Amino acid sequence: MRHYIIPVLTMMLCLTACARNRNAMPDTANPSQSAVVDTAPRTVEAPSHPLIGQKFVDVSVGGIDGKQHKLSEFIGGKAARGKKKYVLVDFWASWCRPCMMEMPNVKSNWERYKSQGFEVVGISLDGNRQAWMQAIEDNGYTWTQLSDLNGFDCPAAAMYGIEYIPWNFLCDEEGVIVAVELRGDGLAAKLKEIYE
């Protein structure tokens, strides 16, 4: 029974995030690597992420237009009168299945709240421009898209210590990070809290 645990855990990890160093994954061919799965229910709340409450760190990333763009071009500043400007900086890649599974959620929330001041800045960790552009076009990602086409060696990924994707953070009008890793219902719940 034990030799089934590692492949199942590995598959679960692959379905929820794409890691920077795939060699860090357990060796499923080696049954001596065992894992103990604790199935006891947890009621302890997860600790807050250290970035929450901090001001975002500005970094320059290439855009679709071939020019370098700073995050500060998009984050901070006031939205139109009566609107709250919040910006989700979303790290993703066209080759990352969990990212592509999460993108419809990002898109539907962007469409729902963009008229109220919600913006998305996508930072792709792609290494292939054609694949990156094809994913944007095929899926209708019309919000700001940036990429240096250096994969996880992108300066923005290094600046924020990103080891897996999808990964994101949400900034308020002052450029303060108010939430990290908003996925699935978590993104919708946070935006509802802000805008409704």
Side-chain angles (χ1 to χ4, degrees):
M1 173 79 174
R2 182 184 292 174
H3 62 279
Y4 291 112
I5 294 173
I6 292 173
V8 169
L9 290 176
T10 301
M11 183 180 71
M12 288 172 53
L13 177 61
C14 288
L15 290 175
T16 60
C18 293
R20 174 185 178 91
N21 181 0
R22 294 187 182 170
N23 293 328
M25 302 284 256
D27 180 3
T28 56
N30 183 354
S32 66
Q33 282 190 342
S34 62
V36 176
V37 179
D38 182 1
T39 58
R42 299 285 180 220
T43 57
V44 179
E45 189 173 310
S48 177
H49 194 282
L51 286 177
I52 295 176
Q54 303 294 316
K55 189 150 182 150
F56 82 100
V57 178
D58 207 3
V59 63
S60 183
V61 184
I64 291 175
D65 58 7
K67 298 177 183 175
Q68 291 290 307
H69 295 275
K70 291 189 170 192
L71 285 182
S72 56
E73 293 176 39
F74 312 103
I75 299 174
K78 299 294 179 187
R81 186 177 181 151
K83 298 180 181 180
K84 298 177 186 176
K85 182 178 180 183
Y86 279 76
V87 179
L88 182 74
V89 178
D90 185 39
F91 290 84
W92 69 287
S94 65
W95 49 261
C96 171
R97 181 171 165 77
C99 297
M100 299 311 291
M101 290 171 60
E102 179 64 18
M103 279 302 209
N105 179 48
V106 173
K107 185 177 180 181
S108 67
N109 280 288
W110 175 71
E111 289 171 344
R112 180 174 184 170
Y113 294 108
K114 68 181 177 180
S115 65
Q116 297 178 53
F118 177 57
E119 297 178 21
V120 177
V121 175
I123 299 181
S124 172
L125 301 188
D126 272 285
N128 179 304
R129 182 174 177 81
Q130 183 178 354
W132 173 48
M133 297 299 292
Q134 195 68 52
I136 292 169
E137 183 180 336
D138 288 351
N139 297 288
Y141 306 151
T142 57
W143 54 85
T144 300
Q145 293 290 345
L146 306 173
S147 182
D148 286 330
L149 300 173
N150 291 323
F152 278 97
D153 293 327
C154 166
M159 179 75 68
Y160 287 96
I162 295 173
E163 294 294 324
Y164 59 88
I165 50 177
W167 192 88
N168 61 41
F169 63 88
L170 182 68
C171 288
D172 66 11
E173 294 176 329
E174 306 301 321
V176 174
I177 298 171
V178 297
V180 173
E181 296 192 76
L182 293 170
R183 292 169 67 182
D185 293 340
L187 178 59
K190 186 65 176 178
L191 294 175
K192 184 175 182 181
E193 174 188 313
I194 292 167
Y195 290 110
E196 295 180 15

